[in-house]
């Protein structure tokens, strides 16, 4: 086909015709990707700026659909401790020996944006807050998953405590390893979204994000930032390290 916009149109029509209502719901939650369209059509469409722009629009539409489908009270599955993966994988855009080596005594969590109390937090202050734990599955966009036990502070409790504007659209994170990402406020307030300070009952290891990471069992792994240094509440779209390279922003699991 010479008109690549027509490929997009025909692929979408094919999807709508062939998927059941439940199948279409799953499809929208997972997102329409460049590879998916190429598979459906048998055409190479990756060299067109127009097609990339069209796919960007589809991805943003998919974000809106996922946000609409998201249920803030529906919990991700929890598992018995016997299912914890003792060899929980390290995963980042760098090697394990390159993970940030942060001094917990001098660590300060910085706050920015639509927050009433922007005073920085020490690691000791975070550990003094009410703690909970969860045994949940981490799902990586690369196709693997693993079950881990995470302990820490419910993120909703923390946000309320610092006077965050809970009507804001986004919460963004900047990390010591130059990673950054952002989530929607509904996910930030989900009861299972956690400021993780421990792993399997011990201080969070360096390879898993010491001194703190955000654990979000309702989202894919790349939405779970590690080594967090700055949290910002904002109405300005913040993007993310992988999201700015084409990954779906909502990233629901």
């Amino acid at each position: 086909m010479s008109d690549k916009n027509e490929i997009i149109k025909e692929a979408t029509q094919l999807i709508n015709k062939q998927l059941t209502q439940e199948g279409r719901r799953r499809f929208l939650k997972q997102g329409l990707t460049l590879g998916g369209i190429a598979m459906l059509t048998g055409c190479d469409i990756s060299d067109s700026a127009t097609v990339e722009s069209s796919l960007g629009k589809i991805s943003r539409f998919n974000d809106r659909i996922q946000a609409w489908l998201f249920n803030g009270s529906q919990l991700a599955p929890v598992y018995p401790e016997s299912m914890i993966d003792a060899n929980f994988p390290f995963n980042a855009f760098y090697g394990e020996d390159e993970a940030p080596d942060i001094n917990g005594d001098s660590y300060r969590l910085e706050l920015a944006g639509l927050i009433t109390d922007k005073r920085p937090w020490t690691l000791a202050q975070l550990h003094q807050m009410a703690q909970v734990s969860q045994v949940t599955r981490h799902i990586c966009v690369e196709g693997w998953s693993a079950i881990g036990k995470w302990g820490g502070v419910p993120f909703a409790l923390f946000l309320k405590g610092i006077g965050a504007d809970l009507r804001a659209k986004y919460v963004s994170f900047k990390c010591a390893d130059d990673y950054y990402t952002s989530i929607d406020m509904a996910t930030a307030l989900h009861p299972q979204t956690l400021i993780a300070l421990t792993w399997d009952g011990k201080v969070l290891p360096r390879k898993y994000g010491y001194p703190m990471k955000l654990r979000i069992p309702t989202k894919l792994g790349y939405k779970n930032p590690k080594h967090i240094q700055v949290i910002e509440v904002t109405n300005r779209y913040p993007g993310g390290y992988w999201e700015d390279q084409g990954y779906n922003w909502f990233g629901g699991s």
Side-chain angles (χ1 to χ4, degrees):
M1 298 180 185
S2 58
D3 187 342
K4 293 175 181 177
N5 284 325
E6 282 297 311
I7 296 174
I8 302 288
K9 181 178 179 181
E10 291 184 17
T12 303
Q13 290 173 343
L14 177 62
I15 290 161
N16 287 330
K17 287 179 181 178
Q18 293 186 347
L19 290 180
T20 64
Q21 182 176 358
E22 180 60 27
R24 186 178 297 113
R25 189 174 190 269
R26 290 196 301 271
F27 177 84
L28 288 170
K29 289 184 73 175
Q30 293 170 356
L32 183 59
T33 65
L34 178 63
I37 290 179
M39 179 183 69
L40 285 169
T41 62
C43 300
D44 179 10
I45 60 174
S46 61
D47 61 344
S48 169
T50 300
V51 170
E52 291 293 340
S53 176
S54 297
L55 289 176
K57 293 177 182 178
I58 291 171
S59 181
R60 290 190 292 274
F61 173 75
N62 178 51
D63 284 334
R64 293 195 296 272
I65 292 296
Q66 288 193 68
W68 177 69
L69 292 171
F70 181 75
N71 184 340
S73 62
Q74 182 174 339
L75 301 181
V78 295
Y79 302 88
E81 293 193 12
S82 60
M83 294 183 66
I84 294 171
D85 189 339
N87 298 311
F88 194 94
F90 168 83
N91 193 45
F93 59 90
Y94 46 80
E96 185 175 333
D97 59 348
E98 299 175 79
D101 190 4
I102 297 172
N103 184 330
D105 293 333
S106 59
Y107 170 81
R108 298 293 183 272
L109 173 64
E110 303 292 335
L111 304 176
L114 304 175
I115 295 172
T116 301
D117 187 352
K118 295 188 178 70
R119 287 177 293 182
W121 282 66
T122 66
L123 191 55
Q125 287 174 313
L126 290 169
H127 279 276
Q128 288 168 3
M129 293 190 70
Q131 309 283 305
V132 299
S133 65
Q134 59 177 246
V135 180
T136 51
R137 184 182 297 275
H138 174 103
I139 301 175
C140 181
V141 71
E142 295 174 347
W144 59 267
S145 69
I147 294 172
K149 180 181 179 181
W150 311 93
V153 181
F155 195 40
L157 179 65
F158 179 78
L159 290 174
K160 292 171 184 176
I162 61 176
D165 183 352
L166 304 183
R167 299 166 299 177
K169 293 182 180 179
Y170 309 108
V171 183
S172 72
F173 308 89
K174 295 179 182 177
C175 308
D177 56 3
D178 295 328
Y179 194 76
Y180 63 101
T181 190
S182 55
I183 60 175
D184 57 295
M185 182 59 76
T187 297
L189 297 175
H190 188 276
Q192 289 176 307
T193 301
L194 193 69
I195 293 178
L197 303 170
T198 66
W199 155 260
D200 200 13
K202 302 178 180 64
V203 172
L204 190 68
R206 172 187 170 194
K207 64 179 179 179
Y208 297 152
Y210 181 85
M212 65 164 283
K213 68 167 287 174
L214 202 69
R215 174 65 190 135
I216 318 175
T218 58
K219 287 193 180 292
L220 294 170
Y222 67 90
K223 303 299 293 187
N224 291 237
K226 300 177 290 189
H227 316 287
I228 297 171
Q229 289 187 315
V230 182
I231 295 176
E232 180 180 7
V233 176
T234 180
N235 285 314
R236 173 189 54 82
Y237 174 69
Y241 180 89
W242 291 116
E243 297 90 328
D244 292 346
Q245 299 181 57
Y247 279 49
N248 179 251
W249 178 79
F250 195 86
S253 62

